[in-house]
């Protein structure tokens, strides 16, 4: 055989082997090779493909997005290597680890510190004489990438150490850059609105945000840092993990306050169980716990094997992914006319929840993942709730799989669909498309909008299919006799529905704006718009520039609002709503004064006297805003029963934490 065909064979063999490791890693959560061995295979494949570009095919593992090594960032050599961790996949494997340590160190019990394993990107920050001199990613452990400019944009990263901790000549700290689940979901929602493909998981988002050439992009992403280790130091010595976790905050360096000091294996197993059961209520993703020997002296005796320390282990939680058959891809039409492909899956359970469908967002996502109907696919629950298809398993194909293409006509109304240049979304432009009207109507009647009880999916289907509702205003023209003739309706339920509709005829401007379903305008933006303009007439005429002067309203929202009111069809809808008897009332538009006006709240834990939604509504009705995660801009955190780590985070940042009673007090004073 000549060298060329040797290479060809090696390429094929490498691809097959890498694909097998991918399945073990992503699907079974049980890799059989170390990261280093995997990287070596991957590097060899890249090398061969560079020699033979004509053999690079789309299904090569090198062609997945995000794997290209960034040449754009300058290399940074770590003074001390950044190690990785060996894994344990069960409680018994964790006990085995403890047994090895006891034997090796001849000590019993051994004291460990156990911490949640954060699912992000590890970084090293070098502080010289108290100033942040350099920040780098872990890279291959020996050399990482210089991400100083990007890391500097993170609010949780001090640019100078707090002198309260002292000013050592050198302090290298290591930690994880991660993103909270709520923020991850919010970023993906925005991307979906923009027709961009979502990030597969919080880790990808954190990594993608940090390895950005433009630090402004990093700055827009709510990344956080938690420190858990030190590298080289001068002028300061740490003797234990406990000391490290209590000392770093004095320098202003964030640590995860959630950790446990464990005496022996059973304590560590206990923490592992506790984290596994509390996992879904933590504000960030964690895929296991890291158990490390507390005393550094003992760590030195235990030493390091290959690229992992002997003295620590990552005890992983059971798989969050499963393999399912992709039975079909259907297309649904949303309120704004966007066509969304939705996967029908053979039902599988992932972390105790049965999954039988998953959104695929848009055409590009299906193409870039090369998903085919009939494929076996990897299913995971992203951010704990939303099911997602991460990748197909091409090695399982038998040739019967079919590729999918977006329909050329709207599946609901048959009118031709368009995909504008530069947009990922395919849209139905027919404003009278029944699917669009149904979704608009459901939103119009929903709780935060007109709050008309009794308008649900089945009823909306009938109203629109029978053309009883063609425009939103038609809802107000329904009478008891007509409604009573619909399926599953009697004279009584018809009467109560019509009464509910009547009750919704007078509505505050903010709620009305939200109900219209203007792109980019959620409940809190609607409130800002209402406060600013005062009346609908005025808002219709406000220009983009003026809208942009409203705090927190950006150019995109401003454009969406002006576009909405400039559109002829939308103007007709508004006129028709008026003609049908809808009245906008001033009452209920919150005053911009009072103790809650302009304040930012975060709720955590279970409230006893009200639901989270109620609390949010009460706060926002008094001019406050509510966000999901705590930052320096937060004014109050309201902690219910069993609060999460948001409370600790608030305390670290010096944000006041209120009890439910104190919150109620404040609301009552404000109203
Ligand atoms: S300790 C050598 N603690 O897990 C020990 N690592 O596979 C240094 N990680 O590269 C790591 N949370 O990115 C440690 N609480 C934690 C961690 C943690 C996440 C990551 C880190 C590391 C990887 C090891």
């Amino acid at each position: 055989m000549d060298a060329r065909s040797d290479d060809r064979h090696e390429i094929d063999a490498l691809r097959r082997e890498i694909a097998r490791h991918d399945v073990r890693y992503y699907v079974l959560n049980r890799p059989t090779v170390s990261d280093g061995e995997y990287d070596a295979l991957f590097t060899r494949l890249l090398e061969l493909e560079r020699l033979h570009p004509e053999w690079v095919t789309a299904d090569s593992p090198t062609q997945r997005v995000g794997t290209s090594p960034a040449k754009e960032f300058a290399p940074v050599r770590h003074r001390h290597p950044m190690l990785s961790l060996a894994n344990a996949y069960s409680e018994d494997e964790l006990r085995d680890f403890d047994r090895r340590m006891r034997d090796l160190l001849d000590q019993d019990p051994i004291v460990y510190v156990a911490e949640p394993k954060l699912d992000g990107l590890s970084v090293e920050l070098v502080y010289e004489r108290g100033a942040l001199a350099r920040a780098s990613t872990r890279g291959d452990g020996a050399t990482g990438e210089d991400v100083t400019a990007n890391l500097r944009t993170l609010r949780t990263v001090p640019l100078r150490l707090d002198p309260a901790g002292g000013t050592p000549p050198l302090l290298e700290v290591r930690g994880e850059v991660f993103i909270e689940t709520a923020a991850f979901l919010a970023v993906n929602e925005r991307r979906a609105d923009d027709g961009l493909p979502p990030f597969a998981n919080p880790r990808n988002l954190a990594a993608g945000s940090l390895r950005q050439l433009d630090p402004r992009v990093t700055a827009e992403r709510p990344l956080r840092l938690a420190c858990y280790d030190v590298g080289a130091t001068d002028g300061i010595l740490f003797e234990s993990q406990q000391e490290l976790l209590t000392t770093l905050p004095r320098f202003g360096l964030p640590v995860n306050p959630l950790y446990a000091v464990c005496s022996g294996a059973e304590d560590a197993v206990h923490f592992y169980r506790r984290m596994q059961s509390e996992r879904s209520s933590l504000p960030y993703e964690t895929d296991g716990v890291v158990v490390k020997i507390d005393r550094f002296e003992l760590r030195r005796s235990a030493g390091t094997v290959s690229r992992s320390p002997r003295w620590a282990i990552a005890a992983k939680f059971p798989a969050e992914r499963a393999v399912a058959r992709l039975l079909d891809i259907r297309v649904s039409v949303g309120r704004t006319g966007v066509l969304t492909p939705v996967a029908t899956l053979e039902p599988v359970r992932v972390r105790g929840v049965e999954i039988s469908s998953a959104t695929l967002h848009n055409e590009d996502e299906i193409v870039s993942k090369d998903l085919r109907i009939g494929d076996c696919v990897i299913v995971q629950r992203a951010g704990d709730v939303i099911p997602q298809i991460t990748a197909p398993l091409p090695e399982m194909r038998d040739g019967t799989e079919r590729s999918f293409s977006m329909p050329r006509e709207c599946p609901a109304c048959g009118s031709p669909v368009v995909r504008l240049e530069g947009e990922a979304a395919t849209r139905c432009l027919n404003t009278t498309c029944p699917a669009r009207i149904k979704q608009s109507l459901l939103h119009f009647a929903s709780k935060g909008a007109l709050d008309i009880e009794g308008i649900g999916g089945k009823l909306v289907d009938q109203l629109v299919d029978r053309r009883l509702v063609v425009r939103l205003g038609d809802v107000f023209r329904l009478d008891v006799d007509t409604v009573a003739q619909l399926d599953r309706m009697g004279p009584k339920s018809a009467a109560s529905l019509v009464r509910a509709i009547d009750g919704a005829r007078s509505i505050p401007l903010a709620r009305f704006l939200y109900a219209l379903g203007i792109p980019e305008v959620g409940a809190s933006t609607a409130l800002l718009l209402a406060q600013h303009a005062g009346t609908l007439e005025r808002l219709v005429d406000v220009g983009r520039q003026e809208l942009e002067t409203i705090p927190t309203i950006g150019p995109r929202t401003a454009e969406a609002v002006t576009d909405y009111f400039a559109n002829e069809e939308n103007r007709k809808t508004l006129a028709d709503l008026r003609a049908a008897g809808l009245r906008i009332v001033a009452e209920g538009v919150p005053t911009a004064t009072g103790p809650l006006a302009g304040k930012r709240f975060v709720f955590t834990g279970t409230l006893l006297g009200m639901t989270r939604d109620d609390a949010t509504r009460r706060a926002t009705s008094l001019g406050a805003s509510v966000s999901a995660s705590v930052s320096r801009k937060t004014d109050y955190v309201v902690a219910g029963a069993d609060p999460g780590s948001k409370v600790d985070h608030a305390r670290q940042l010096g944000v006041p934490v209120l009890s439910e009673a104190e919150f109620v007090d404040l609301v009552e004073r404000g109203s």
Side-chain angles (χ1 to χ4, degrees):
M1 260 196 303
D2 59 5
R4 205 175 138 81
S5 78
D6 273 357
D7 284 356
R8 177 78 246 203
H9 281 106
E10 195 181 345
I11 288 183
D12 287 342
L14 283 166
R15 285 181 186 162
R16 275 196 305 272
E17 188 168 359
I18 291 172
R20 274 199 301 275
H21 290 314
D22 281 344
V23 173
R24 289 199 192 107
Y25 185 86
Y26 290 110
V27 183
L28 308 172
N29 234 15
R30 186 142 201 157
T32 49
V33 290
S34 70
D35 289 0
E37 287 165 288
Y38 181 91
D39 289 348
L41 295 172
F42 208 93
T43 313
R44 174 70 185 146
L45 179 59
L46 278 171
E47 204 175 277
L48 288 171
E49 288 185 346
R50 222 170 285 138
L51 277 175
H52 305 285
E54 71 280 15
W55 291 337
V56 179
T57 51
D59 64 357
S60 170
T62 59
Q63 300 306 298
R64 286 189 203 260
V65 275
T67 47
S68 61
K71 295 182 197 62
E72 298 84 352
F73 296 99
V76 175
R77 244 193 121 67
H78 303 298
R79 278 196 188 84
H80 295 180
M82 287 181 78
L83 302 171
S84 57
L85 294 172
N87 293 318
Y89 294 100
S90 65
E91 294 180 358
D92 279 340
E93 288 186 27
L94 182 52
R95 291 187 181 102
D96 289 344
F97 159 76
D98 171 59
R99 192 167 315 117
R100 284 198 301 276
M101 290 305 105
R102 279 184 286 132
D103 291 348
L104 182 71
L105 300 168
D106 201 15
Q107 213 179 84
D108 194 3
I110 291 179
V111 176
Y112 300 99
V113 168
E115 304 162 4
K117 186 171 189 294
L118 298 167
D119 208 4
L121 188 74
S122 52
V123 294
E124 176 172 78
L125 308 172
V126 180
Y127 286 91
E128 289 171 1
R129 288 174 300 282
L132 176 62
R134 209 159 26 267
S136 55
T137 61
R138 171 168 174 264
D140 64 5
T143 309
E145 299 155 338
D146 188 332
V147 287
T148 315
N150 292 344
L151 223 79
R152 286 173 64 92
T153 68
L154 268 62
R155 282 168 207 274
T156 50
V157 172
L159 301 178
R160 283 215 136 263
L161 294 179
D162 190 329
T167 307
L170 177 68
L171 174 58
E172 292 184 350
V173 286
R174 277 116 184 240
E176 200 82 355
V177 169
F178 66 102
I179 187 161
E180 291 198 343
T181 314
F184 161 74
L185 295 173
V187 168
N188 269 355
E189 231 164 75
R190 286 227 98 150
R191 287 175 71 85
D193 286 350
D194 286 351
L196 294 170
F199 287 99
N201 53 49
R203 190 196 29 236
N204 285 3
L205 171 52
S209 307
L210 207 55
R211 295 168 77 244
Q212 267 292 334
L213 287 178
D214 184 350
R216 283 173 302 186
V217 177
T218 317
E220 281 177 2
R221 308 260 169 87
L223 299 177
R224 294 188 45 190
L225 170 73
C227 302
Y228 48 64
D229 200 9
V230 291
T233 61
D234 180 12
I236 181 164
L237 262 183
F238 296 91
E239 293 196 337
S240 68
Q241 186 70 8
Q242 291 188 63
E243 185 188 334
L244 182 143
L245 292 173
T246 47
T247 308
L248 293 183
R250 271 189 238 143
F251 287 106
L253 291 162
V255 300
N256 187 350
L258 184 60
Y259 64 89
V261 178
C262 308
S263 179
E266 291 318 307
D267 274 7
V269 166
H270 179 79
F271 185 74
Y272 172 74
R273 284 190 190 154
R274 190 183 130 206
M275 285 303 105
Q276 200 175 321
S277 70
E278 287 176 12
R279 178 180 191 192
S280 50
S281 52
L282 290 175
Y284 44 78
E285 291 241 315
T286 161
D287 56 348
V289 302
V290 182
V291 178
K292 13 182 137 164
I293 292 187
D294 183 36
R295 301 209 60 83
F296 290 0
E297 180 70 54
L298 279 183
R299 290 187 183 182
R300 282 188 284 274
S301 314
T304 293
V305 264
S306 79
R307 300 207 299 168
S308 323
R310 273 210 195 83
W311 45 262
I313 197 150
K316 295 291 213 56
F317 297 138
E320 309 208 78
R321 303 182 174 90
V323 174
R325 177 103 33 204
L326 173 56
L327 299 175
D328 197 6
I329 298 179
R330 288 167 297 122
V331 173
S332 74
V333 184
R335 184 156 43 96
T336 53
V338 173
L339 270 59
T340 306
V342 182
T344 308
L345 297 164
E346 197 174 63
V348 273
R349 291 182 83 77
V350 182
R351 260 219 249 154
V353 173
E354 189 171 278
I355 291 173
S356 56
S357 75
T359 166
L360 294 167
H361 303 99
N362 57 49
E363 195 175 5
D364 289 352
E365 188 178 329
I366 299 173
V367 173
S368 73
K369 288 184 176 162
D370 186 26
L371 294 177
R372 303 180 197 171
I373 297 168
D375 265 344
C376 281
V377 295
I378 300 173
V379 180
Q380 71 172 21
R381 281 170 64 200
D384 231 57
V385 270
I386 303 175
Q388 230 179 30
I389 294 179
T390 49
L393 296 174
E395 58 278 27
M396 309 279 276
R397 284 185 183 143
D398 64 8
T400 58
E401 298 75 17
R402 290 178 290 126
S403 41
F404 165 85
S405 49
M406 217 43 169
R408 286 158 198 266
E409 279 142 24
C410 170
C413 71
S415 54
V417 296
V418 294
R419 182 171 166 180
L420 299 179
E421 215 177 297
E423 270 201 17
T426 306
R427 290 171 201 273
C428 164
L429 297 182
N430 173 13
T431 47
T432 58
C433 167
R436 294 185 59 177
I437 296 176
K438 284 177 188 174
Q439 294 300 324
S440 306
L441 184 54
L442 276 172
H443 176 74
F444 190 66
S446 69
K447 209 161 170 64
L450 267 68
D451 194 11
I452 305 176
E453 218 182 301
I455 297 202
K458 293 253 156 55
L459 181 75
V460 163
D461 281 349
Q462 296 187 65
L463 292 175
V464 176
D465 291 343
R466 299 185 188 200
R467 300 191 59 79
L468 295 170
V469 174
V470 177
R471 276 185 196 285
L472 292 179
D474 294 333
V475 172
F476 295 106
R477 299 188 179 95
L478 293 171
D479 57 52
V480 178
D481 289 345
T482 316
V483 175
Q485 296 186 358
L486 299 174
D487 294 345
R488 313 205 299 168
M489 273 286 170
K492 254 199 180 152
S493 42
S496 78
L497 179 71
V498 170
R499 220 174 310 122
I501 294 174
D502 265 341
R505 269 181 215 278
S506 300
I507 181 164
L509 180 57
R511 293 251 298 257
F512 177 68
L513 292 174
Y514 171 71
L516 289 176
I518 305 169
E520 303 285 325
V521 179
S524 60
T525 303
L527 189 61
L528 290 170
L529 293 171
Q531 281 169 342
H532 181 85
T535 66
L536 182 62
E537 292 67 30
R538 166 106 178 79
L539 183 62
V540 170
D541 289 332
V542 170
R544 268 176 68 174
Q545 273 167 347
E546 182 179 332
L547 289 178
E548 282 182 44
T549 63
I550 306 175
T552 80
I553 290 196
R556 251 223 328 253
T557 308
E559 186 178 349
V561 173
T562 45
D563 281 358
Y564 181 89
F565 290 119
N567 179 296
E568 195 49 42
E569 275 300 317
N570 294 335
R571 280 174 179 264
K572 277 191 201 156
T573 298
L574 293 175
D576 181 58
L577 280 165
R578 290 248 155 133
L582 183 107
R583 281 191 322 111
I584 295 170
V585 290
E587 160 245 334
V589 176
T591 48
T593 56
L596 270 70
K599 299 284 189 233
R600 293 187 190 215
F601 279 77
V602 171
F603 293 100
T604 177
T606 315
L607 300 176
L608 303 174
M610 60 187 109
T611 65
R612 254 314 153 88
D613 275 352
D614 289 337
T616 303
R617 234 169 275 136
R618 291 180 77 168
T620 51
S621 72
L622 294 166
S625 64
V626 174
S627 41
S629 57
V630 181
S631 75
R632 282 180 211 283
K633 291 198 203 142
T634 309
D635 293 292
Y636 298 104
V637 169
V638 179
D642 289 329
S645 64
K646 285 181 192 170
V647 167
D648 302 307
H649 189 208
R651 297 222 161 97
Q652 277 171 20
L653 296 174
V655 172
V657 177
L658 304 181
S659 67
E660 184 175 340
E662 286 169 318
F663 169 68
V664 171
D665 224 42
L666 197 65
V667 167
E668 279 165 6
R669 273 190 287 134
S671 34

